[in-house]
Amino acid sequence: NEYNFFPPPPSTPQLTATHSSDSSYHTTPHSSLLNTVHLLDIHLNMATKRLLVLGGNGYVGQNICHVALQSTSNYLVRGLSRSGPPSTTPNHITPSMDKVEWIKGDIFDKSAREDALDGVDVVISCIGAFGSNEFMQRICGDATIEAIASAKAKGVQKFGFVSSAQVYEGSAGLSFPPSVPMHGYFQGKYRAEQELSQVFPDGYVIARPGFIYGPRTTPMGVLPLQMIGSPVSFLGTELGPLSSLIQSVPFVGKECSSMVPVESLGRAMVESVGSEEKRGVILEAEDIRKF
């Protein structure tokens, strides 16, 4: 199956005209259809980039879709996830979700993945999950790695990836032994980063946030994650010597200083993948918070 961002335009009708006594030409009612086709052509030309968000119906993915649709880059947005459209969304981004082309498919299904990539210029992967270490290696690493290969084959220009603040050389998170919980999460993200930087050396954007906060909808209601993230972020970044002391604590310090608003993460990813610069970009939490 192939997916199209727009249905094919209607065939152009034959335009007829009548000659009046004042020597001017008047089009028949067929011209209104021509005007519609013309406006569609203008809209297609204005839509300069086609964006695929992997895991687009999740908490981070929804916000990235929303930001892309609100941007001045005239993105056409497509979301790929196993369950299709999101079942719940925060009220302020719900209208945007109706403008996304939602595709229900498994990221590990090569044919579904390649169909979703048809006509796409830019990809952002928000795929990630918690579970056993083996499960996290597969979801946080293998899923994006396979998508990177397919995107390259399809001629995608840029690829963005939401990684983790704990993924950097010498981090405490990457030093966890395989038996420790979260080992698979960080190692999976690390492997995906490495693959992305090799396959898209001049077209990758890697974001490394810690805890991501903002309104998050669940079947039980809205979780105001900003009530946790915002004060802890302030404690870890804005209190001078005290913040420096907190940051010196292995693992915990990095988490406290790397919390970011979900809106900032969305803007950071969308604006960075939309840049015409041909270079790889790594966005640390401090960089993300500037957006």
Side-chain angles (χ1 to χ4, degrees):
N1 296 325
E2 294 185 356
Y3 301 93
N4 297 306
F5 282 98
F6 288 103
S11 57
T12 303
Q14 180 66 40
L15 179 64
T16 60
T18 57
H19 197 276
S20 65
S21 59
D22 63 357
S23 298
S24 62
Y25 283 88
H26 299 277
T27 59
T28 68
H30 290 294
S31 62
S32 62
L33 183 55
L34 279 177
N35 289 336
T36 300
V37 174
H38 180 61
L39 289 173
L40 178 60
D41 288 338
I42 291 174
H43 182 63
L44 283 168
N45 290 331
M46 289 176 62
T48 57
K49 290 185 175 65
R50 292 165 170 82
L51 168 67
L52 173 64
V53 182
L54 305 176
N57 70 354
Y59 170 53
V60 174
Q62 289 178 28
N63 279 273
I64 288 177
C65 290
H66 172 68
V67 169
L69 287 165
Q70 297 295 314
S71 77
T72 58
S73 297
N74 299 304
Y75 277 104
L76 300 177
V77 182
R78 176 182 289 170
L80 174 66
S81 61
R82 293 186 65 182
S83 55
S87 57
T88 57
T89 59
N91 290 335
H92 70 288
I93 66 173
T94 297
S96 293
M97 298 302 97
D98 295 334
K99 299 176 183 178
V100 177
E101 181 190 10
W102 294 105
I103 298 175
K104 185 177 181 179
D106 190 338
I107 189 64
F108 291 106
D109 182 337
K110 185 177 180 181
S111 61
R113 191 170 65 235
E114 291 180 347
D115 284 345
L117 282 161
D118 280 345
V120 167
D121 302 304
V122 180
V123 176
I124 297 177
S125 174
C126 312
I127 299 173
F130 299 106
S132 68
N133 280 324
E134 181 180 0
F135 173 79
M136 290 188 288
Q137 283 274 21
R138 180 166 168 78
I139 301 302
C140 300
D142 297 339
T144 294
I145 289 171
E146 292 190 20
I148 290 168
S150 294
K152 186 67 174 180
K154 283 285 190 176
V156 167
Q157 300 167 9
K158 286 199 173 185
F159 198 113
F161 175 53
V162 179
S163 185
S164 166
Q166 294 293 341
V167 178
Y168 63 94
E169 294 297 331
S171 78
L174 288 180
S175 67
F176 286 172
S179 59
V180 173
M182 295 298 291
H183 167 86
Y185 185 90
F186 299 130
Q187 288 294 329
K189 295 282 190 180
Y190 175 76
R191 289 190 299 108
E193 277 198 20
Q194 295 299 302
E195 185 71 10
L196 179 55
S197 63
Q198 292 175 19
V199 177
F200 285 87
D202 297 321
Y204 70 83
V205 176
I206 294 171
R208 292 175 173 171
F211 180 75
I212 303 167
Y213 59 87
R216 180 169 188 169
T217 56
T218 71
M220 297 177 291
V222 178
L223 294 179
L225 299 181
Q226 66 273 18
M227 301 298 290
I228 300 172
S230 185
V232 174
S233 178
F234 182 82
L235 184 65
T237 60
E238 302 295 331
L239 295 182
L242 178 58
S243 295
S244 297
L245 179 62
I246 293 171
Q247 292 174 23
S248 68
V249 179
F251 189 82
V252 174
K254 186 67 174 177
E255 286 298 312
C256 289
S257 63
S258 299
M259 298 184 176
V260 300
V262 68
E263 297 89 352
S264 295
L265 177 57
R267 286 192 293 268
M269 290 301 295
V270 170
E271 292 186 25
S272 296
V273 297
S275 170
E276 297 301 324
E277 289 187 83
K278 293 186 176 181
R279 65 186 182 94
V281 175
I282 294 179
L283 300 169
E284 303 291 352
E286 182 179 0
D287 304 313
I288 295 168
R289 286 192 292 264
K290 294 176 182 177
F291 286 84

